[in-house]
Amino acid sequence: MTAVTSTEILIVGAGVIGLTTAVHLADRGRKVLVIDQGAPARQASWAGAGMLPPGYVTQAFSPEARLRSLSCQLWPQLNQRLRDLGCDDNEYHQCGSVLLFEDTAAAVESVRQWTADGAEAELLDERDLRQSLPQINDCWSVAVRLPQQAQVRNPRHLKALLQACSKLGVTVRQDLCCPALPCSENLHAIAVNGQRIEFSRMLISSGAWSGDLLAGLDCSLPVHPVRGQIAQLQGPPGLLSTIIECERRYLVPRRDGRILIGSTEEHAGFSVATTDAGIAGLRQFAADLVPGLADLPLVNQWAGLRPGSPDELPAIGLLPGSRNIFVAVGHFRSGLQMSPGTGAVAAALLCDEAPAIDLGGLEPERFLQLQTDVSEL
Ligand SMILES: Cc1cc2nc3c(=O)[nH]c(=O)nc-3n(C[C@H](O)[C@H](O)[C@H](O)COP(=O)(O)OP(=O)(O)OC[C@H]3O[C@@H](n4cnc5c(N)ncnc54)[C@H](O)[C@@H]3O)c2cc1C
């Protein structure tokens, strides 16, 4: 006889998006089951660097800025909730960041953009830069400082979220791979590993695999894997105290002296292997920014799969053509920073409540339009 499990809300994917949403739902008293095709919390969310840029809801006008700002506002609350529940420390803290630029005009424009979003941003000339970051290579002379930038230590945050789920009665089950969804506007059960899982509502938060999961539907979403490699050095604690970013690569110092160098951006299918060339390129980048890092030992290296989307923004909302399947996918490079906001709005949608921000520009439908446009060419 087939085993049957019933839940109110089924979440497919135990990454930061699925688990944060589960915490919000459990706090509303909902019965939640989270399934993962492998071990929970071990994919992109575990692998990321945990940089959390600033923003202010009242001044955020783009869809990206609205979700980032809401998340920025919710990070301290989520962190407090995890602490109140007695979860392990996730090392969330405000460490600031310095963004390096090759020319002053680009730096001035960056200050303008951050300030327009309501964040504090300060232009640093050569003297300011040397004063705030004496370790930096002499060739850099212009930068922007974001004092409100924060960070979280991914593996520890994911562990804390799993602990919170357990304490709040959320069931998280591993090695249950949700099959490709059939075309149905009212789907209330799936069969996984000979088990039947019944639910009222479902949230798809399956990261880079979401495109494949939804591929059989008329409303498939173009979410694809983008590999990012990270090299981790061991330095003395305090060698760097702030995040340093240069275009799309960065250095993130942890409290125990470890320094993350990130990251590559590669289309390599679902492979999470690191490559000699990728890690060597990251080490060279680090040495170009801070020469003192060249001799530090490499203690770890890994890769993760970002859930890429055509406009680099997530899709959050009801799956087009469905009445009870929601998606929160495609967060690309911003899933950690946007996770508290995404969890809050996804939980609100699943509970028929109004989301805290306007989700215009993040609707899943925008990709359907794109696919239609492409096929008409
Ligand atoms: C190197 C790197 C650096 C990054 N740095 C940052 C950063 O500094 N700041 C930031 O905000 N973001 C960063 N990101 C991006 C961020 O990590 C992702 O956007 C985020 O983790 C996506 O979360 P997710 O929950 O959607 O996906 P994931 O964490 O990948 O979780 C999805 C889960 O779904 C499961 N799953 C998939 N298919 C199925 C199925 N059919 N059935 C059941 N389960 C399934 C998977 O096993 C997985 O556990 C980085 C990413 C990488 C790779």
Side-chain angles (χ1 to χ4, degrees):
M1 211 170 72
T2 311
V4 179
T5 305
S6 287
T7 187
E8 190 180 357
I9 296 169
L10 173 64
I11 296 182
V12 176
V16 73
I17 300 299
L19 294 175
T20 310
T21 307
V23 169
H24 278 281
L25 288 167
D27 273 340
R28 288 168 164 83
R30 301 301 172 130
K31 185 177 177 192
V32 184
L33 168 63
V34 186
I35 61 169
D36 201 285
Q37 62 183 355
R42 289 293 299 182
Q43 295 296 336
S45 306
W46 179 93
M51 294 182 292
L52 313 173
Y56 282 88
V57 176
T58 47
Q59 275 178 259
F61 297 111
S62 68
E64 183 271 337
R66 280 196 295 271
L67 190 56
R68 171 166 43 82
S69 304
L70 175 65
S71 298
C72 191
Q73 181 183 305
L74 293 178
W75 259 108
Q77 291 173 28
L78 173 64
N79 199 42
Q80 190 56 49
R81 180 78 183 111
L82 296 176
R83 291 163 87 100
D84 291 347
L85 286 167
C87 305
D88 289 358
D89 181 17
N90 58 11
E91 294 189 19
Y92 167 77
H93 66 286
Q94 201 166 298
C95 58
S97 65
V98 170
L99 322 181
L100 298 172
F101 290 90
E102 286 187 355
D103 66 274
T104 308
V108 169
E109 174 56 17
S110 170
V111 170
R112 190 197 65 72
Q113 284 177 7
W114 284 108
T115 312
D117 280 358
E120 268 178 51
E122 184 192 345
L123 188 66
L124 303 182
D125 63 17
E126 188 163 1
R127 213 190 58 178
D128 302 330
L129 178 59
R130 301 270 161 268
Q131 252 172 16
S132 45
L133 265 183
Q135 312 93 323
I136 204 86
N137 195 331
D138 286 347
C139 62
W140 295 99
S141 58
V142 58
V144 172
R145 201 165 73 89
L146 301 179
Q148 298 155 320
Q149 169 118 19
Q151 65 161 286
V152 71
R153 193 158 179 165
N154 297 43
R156 298 184 188 197
H157 181 57
L158 271 290
K159 186 176 174 197
L161 285 175
L162 282 172
Q163 290 170 334
C165 283
S166 162
K167 287 168 194 270
L168 292 168
V170 173
T171 306
V172 181
R173 294 184 57 194
Q174 64 179 42
D175 299 328
L176 290 179
C177 180
C178 179
L181 295 181
C183 205
S184 161
E185 67 172 23
N186 238 344
L187 182 71
H188 284 289
I190 56 167
V192 189
N193 293 3
Q195 299 176 44
R196 182 178 159 84
I197 302 178
E198 298 175 343
F199 52 87
S200 299
R201 293 188 165 189
M202 175 194 269
L203 175 72
I204 306 287
S205 54
S206 45
W209 294 263
S210 306
D212 286 359
L213 186 58
L214 302 169
L217 303 181
D218 289 344
C219 48
S220 64
L221 299 177
V223 178
H224 57 278
V226 183
R227 184 169 70 185
Q229 301 185 42
I230 287 195
Q232 192 185 48
L233 308 180
Q234 179 68 63
L239 176 67
L240 286 183
S241 56
T242 191
I243 293 171
I244 306 177
E245 293 183 56
C246 184
E247 296 181 347
R248 282 159 97 92
R249 292 187 291 176
Y250 46 79
L251 305 173
V252 180
R254 300 303 195 201
R255 281 184 163 151
D256 60 5
R258 300 224 169 171
I259 296 171
L260 269 58
I261 317 170
S263 73
T264 62
E265 227 180 272
E266 305 157 87
H267 296 277
F270 288 94
S271 162
V272 287
T274 55
T275 62
D276 290 347
I279 298 301
L282 292 172
R283 291 218 63 171
Q284 187 59 54
F285 163 78
D288 288 346
L289 257 55
V290 180
L293 300 186
D295 299 327
L296 292 185
L298 177 74
V299 286
N300 274 310
Q301 58 190 58
W302 63 81
L305 301 175
R306 306 179 185 94
S309 80
D311 57 9
E312 303 191 353
L313 289 176
I316 304 173
L318 195 60
L319 191 65
S322 169
R323 292 190 187 168
N324 64 332
I325 303 179
F326 295 77
V327 295
V329 299
H331 289 73
F332 192 41
R333 295 182 69 112
S334 308
L336 258 292
Q337 53 165 292
M338 290 179 171
S339 57
T342 302
V345 297
L349 294 174
L350 284 157
C351 296
D352 291 324
E353 297 166 14
I357 52 166
D358 171 12
L359 293 173
L362 302 174
E363 315 88 340
E365 289 85 353
R366 74 190 192 280
F367 293 138
L368 304 186
Q369 184 61 43
L370 185 94
Q371 284 172 340
T372 309
D373 290 345
V374 170
S375 65
E376 279 172 358
L377 289 177

